[in-house]
Amino acid sequence: MDALLTELRAAAEPTRLRLLALCARGAWCVSDLVAILGQSQPRLSRHLKLLVEAGLLVRTPEGANAWFQLAPDADLARQVLARLPEEDPLLAADRRAAARLAAERARAASESFRRHGADWDELRALGLPAAAIEAATDAALPPRIGRLLDIGCGTGGLLERLAGRIDEGVGVDASRDMLALARTRLAERGLSHIAVRQADMYRLPIGDASFDAVMLQMVLHYAEDPAAALAEAARVLKPSGVLVVIDLAPHGRAELLGGAFAHRWPGFDDAGIAGWLGAAGCVPARTSTVEAALPVRVWVAERMTRPVSVPTH
């Protein structure tokens, strides 16, 4: 009863209700919320702190900022928000201001990509069949997934596409510009059960055995140490969870190494991936190939329920 009363008291204030309505539609930092609501940062910070302490919002640090989003298990908040009239003038004004801010954030991120000559749609840049790769991804994953982690999520396209199959999704990427576009994409589509955050794939800010499925799609060929990246992915995977790696098969395209594409590896063979997965505590389950000018390989592995025994000498 105490927990319920704490949540009710936290939600029962006009500004905090507006904050909940905004954070149910996407992730926002304090400066964003200051611009949308037109209130001072100290005032909003106090409200946000109370909502986080009540378990209605989650706070995700990222560099000098922190992002706020509706907590996955904040069922009471969702029930309250469902009773708010869509036509309420104040809430409608908040939504318009949030849409303008998200559009500006996406525009700035897109301009940053253009200035640096980056193309974040690698499948298109390499001439790979996106539809066939999507179909292979769908076949590699269970029909229904509790918690999914997308390592190297980019602009959030994979998370958006799988949103209907997952209870909760998390994407991590090293690029703030990528994440700005991902947050805009997810907010526009109202996918409040998906969050993204900045993180290093070698040091994920995530507890052990936290996810039912982990994805690395077209990420491993950028890794300085693929074995370490797979070991970290396996660490956050639950026992019997599924690890899916989608990447290029061995190829002779030297121009992809360094230069504009900056690949670190010329594709991967089955033996190399299987060895790294085994060392990470995963059992390779099945593989498939997407035929293209650059063949794409799909490796599916399961997390062992018992630790790997390392022989001693």
Side-chain angles (χ1 to χ4, degrees), residues 1 69 136 141 147 193 237 251 275:
M1 192 168 107
Q69 195 164 3
L141 290 167
R147 300 192 75 215
H193 64 304
L237 191 62
H251 60 80

Side-chain angles (χ1 to χ4, degrees), residues 137-152:
T137 304
D138 291 344
L141 290 167
R144 189 71 202 173
I145 306 164
R147 300 192 75 215
L148 171 74
L149 174 66
D150 182 13
I151 298 175

Side-chain angles (χ1 to χ4, degrees), residues 223-263:
E224 293 285 350
D225 188 348
L230 289 176
E232 184 68 349
R235 179 185 66 79
V236 303
L237 191 62
K238 294 179 180 179
S240 300
V242 176
L243 174 58
V244 179
V245 180
I246 300 177
D247 220 298
L248 298 174
H251 60 80
R253 297 276 296 276
E255 73 275 14
L256 300 183
L257 300 177
F261 287 94
H263 291 191

Side-chain angles (χ1 to χ4, degrees), residues 201-221:
M201 65 178 170
Y202 302 111
R203 293 184 295 275
L204 296 172
I206 296 167
D208 295 352
S210 299
F211 287 89
D212 301 289
V214 176
M215 292 284 309
L216 291 98
Q217 178 173 290
M218 301 298 288
V219 172
L220 213 58
H221 58 252

